[in-house]
Amino acid sequence: MFNPKEWTKQMKFIHGVARTIYINKHTGLPKLSSTFTKEQQKELEREDSRLSLS
């Protein structure tokens, strides 16, 4: 099951282009935001905005 709390959002430059990536808190492995489904992307954005408000 997908848990957005397991991912940390970061901005990285990949080949000179700014990309949003997510780092898994347990494994440390990065993943491009575009590789998540649209529903997962929405959950990640909600979690990120919730964290930034606190």
Side-chain angles (χ1 to χ4, degrees), residues 18-38:
R19 300 278 184 171
T20 302
I21 65 168
Y22 289 90
I23 307 292
N24 186 290
K25 293 179 182 178
H26 301 293
T27 63
L29 296 174
K31 189 171 180 179
L32 286 172
S33 64
S34 60
T35 59
F36 290 101
T37 66
K38 294 292 181 193

Side-chain angles (χ1 to χ4, degrees), residues 4-27:
K5 294 179 182 183
E6 295 178 351
W7 298 90
T8 303
K9 183 178 181 179
Q10 290 185 357
M11 293 296 292
K12 292 281 184 178
F13 282 93
I14 302 171
H15 300 291
V17 178
R19 300 278 184 171
T20 302
I21 65 168
Y22 289 90
I23 307 292
N24 186 290
K25 293 179 182 178
H26 301 293
T27 63

Side-chain angles (χ1 to χ4, degrees), residues 1 3 16 37:
M1 178 124 234
N3 184 357
T37 66

Side-chain angles (χ1 to χ4, degrees), residues 28-48:
L29 296 174
K31 189 171 180 179
L32 286 172
S33 64
S34 60
T35 59
F36 290 101
T37 66
K38 294 292 181 193
E39 293 81 17
Q40 290 173 335
Q41 288 177 17
K42 288 177 186 177
E43 288 181 46
L44 288 166
E45 288 300 321
R46 265 189 255 127
E47 181 66 21
D48 185 53

